[in-house]
Amino acid sequence: MKKILNIKYVLIGLGLSCFTVISCVDLEEEVFSQVTADNFFQTDEEFISALGAAYSSLGGLGNHSGLWSINELASDEIVISTKGGDWFDGGVLLQLHQHEFLPDNPFFQNSWNFLFGGINTCNRLIFSFEQLDNPNSAAFIGELRALRALFYYWALDAFGNVPLVTDFTSTESPGTTPRQEVYNFVLSELNEVIPLLPTAKDGTTYGRMTRWAALTIRMKLYLNAEVYVGTPQWALAAADAEEIINSGPYSLMPSYRDNFVINNAGSTENIFVYPYDKVFAGGFNWVMMTLHIASQSTFNLTQQPWNGYQTVEEFYNSYVDPEINPGVQGPVWKGLALEQSEGTIDGRLSNFLVGPQFRADGTRLEDPGVEPFDATGRNGDPDGPPITFMPYLNEIWPQGLRQAGARIAKYEFEMGGTNNMSNDFVIFRLSDVILSLAEARFRLGNTAEALALVNQIRDRAGNLDPFTTLTEENLLAERGREMYVEMTRRQDLIRFKKYGDAWWPFQGMNRPKRVHQPGSHLELFPIPEPQLLANPRLTQNPGYN
């Protein structure tokens, strides 16, 4: 029987290996064997073990200050308010939410390093495998090319004009490649490797690049083609989405929430994930990033959370405001008061942690450091010291309330958990593909099919009243509700030409709202300043000079 080797166990093995190396103190150990290309890359298991280094590059997705953070904080989903002396951080967080991007913001450098670290690792392994006279190597090279295409897809989406490097042996500093050429490269790579990739959904392919994951990347390239290269490709996006839906081994989970539980490896919906593990594959830190310091007692956590990431109030209300979401009613926050009305409830409210908070023993959780309340409501928390997470945000600077903002609860928090979560991080999911097909059909004028697809997602969300008509507004809103914090919102807002609309409270209550037009240079992030200083062949994106 062929041994099944799951990429999660490869990542765990890498973690154990690192631990073993760190634990060694005898630097003069006798070497009994030496791993070389000639004697190691002989079996599938040995190739997969080497692949683990490339997949482990994805481990930076679930933590603070990287690619996920810049996408979410620059959208209308997430904000980190300055809470007195906490979370100002030199203003870099406010820059992201206010769309005042500066090239020296360290979040851009972190994101760049994440992307090109992954690309470099893929290039190194592709080079190593190409030196082998082994028939097994071709399939694994195809897998690495697909993973490299994912990193480049993210790079062209975030930074647009980036270096295009595929030769691991090159010693010359790369120049900037136009976004059109990077797009063409990613598309060409995917076209070549998709026929070579596995189609199975089982333990051998979990957390690895399959035909379906690569098709999803290509679908997203086509979906955003008008933004990336100026030419819409709705029909091609629809074709890829249909293949995934009709031929792929995926189906919607009966419960939206089950895609994000601690043990979510059994999801029938998740197409591509990064398998985190709190001991051996750490880095998924959302429990720390969003929960209140005192929430440690709610979940008996081993460490204190940081009380950082919050949901923008208007975005939270998009789930429950009948004017935005017809037929859905539930808890609607008006200022500091919670109003409860009857009606169907969107099950995706599980994305948020709101309301009174309690210790694990059932007693009320309190914040002894709560801000003193004054009559203006600007400097104080009328619901403290007993902690109540309010979707209401009084301001994002300088005195954001410590209890303000619905907290990110999309992934299940573990009782007795650590600063690292073990939920597998969802990168691609079937419901995104269904909504992408709906959008492509809508753009092509087939509104009846598009409406049926969107209502399929709404029905799974909790028997919500179906839409009777489909508009750009409610299609974008439905994508937002379904795909909350899955690193799609900034991209969606740009594609729908809503990125930077006047209704978006960039500045909270402190300053006039910032508005920029579709096609603004702010739709791309700046090339990080440290990269420009290190490599004079790079060219800064327009508008940042």
Side-chain angles (χ1 to χ4, degrees), residues 270-299:
N270 293 339
I271 296 172
F272 185 53
V273 304
Y274 180 78
Y276 280 104
D277 181 272
K278 66 180 180 182
V279 177
F280 300 116
F284 193 4
N285 303 138
W286 286 12
V287 65
M288 296 288 108
M289 289 156 54
T290 192
L291 290 181
H292 192 285
I293 295 169
S295 298
Q296 181 177 17
S297 298
T298 300
F299 298 97

Side-chain angles (χ1 to χ4, degrees), residues 367-440:
D367 179 2
V370 70
E371 304 87 343
F373 177 64
D374 65 33
T376 68
R378 181 169 182 260
N379 298 307
D381 196 332
D383 288 320
I387 294 177
T388 300
F389 288 146
M390 307 173 293
Y392 167 70
L393 288 163
N394 64 313
E395 61 186 22
I396 66 172
W397 177 87
Q399 293 293 336
L401 300 180
R402 289 157 61 108
Q403 303 185 27
R407 304 310 166 97
I408 306 170
K410 183 152 189 164
Y411 287 88
E412 180 185 9
F413 297 133
E414 180 182 7
M415 291 297 297
T418 71
N419 59 317
N420 291 300
M421 299 166 65
S422 289
N423 319 59
D424 293 343
F425 188 94
V426 180
I427 297 172
F428 295 137
R429 192 159 57 89
L430 180 63
S431 62
D432 186 10
V433 177
I434 292 172
L435 289 172
S436 297
L437 177 59
E439 182 181 346

Side-chain angles (χ1 to χ4, degrees), residues 179-197:
R179 196 183 208 182
Q180 172 80 64
E181 291 184 31
V182 181
Y183 174 94
N184 292 343
F185 168 76
V186 175
L187 184 57
S188 174
E189 287 287 283
L190 292 171
N191 288 342
E192 288 187 23
V193 303
I194 282 172
L196 308 176
L197 295 172

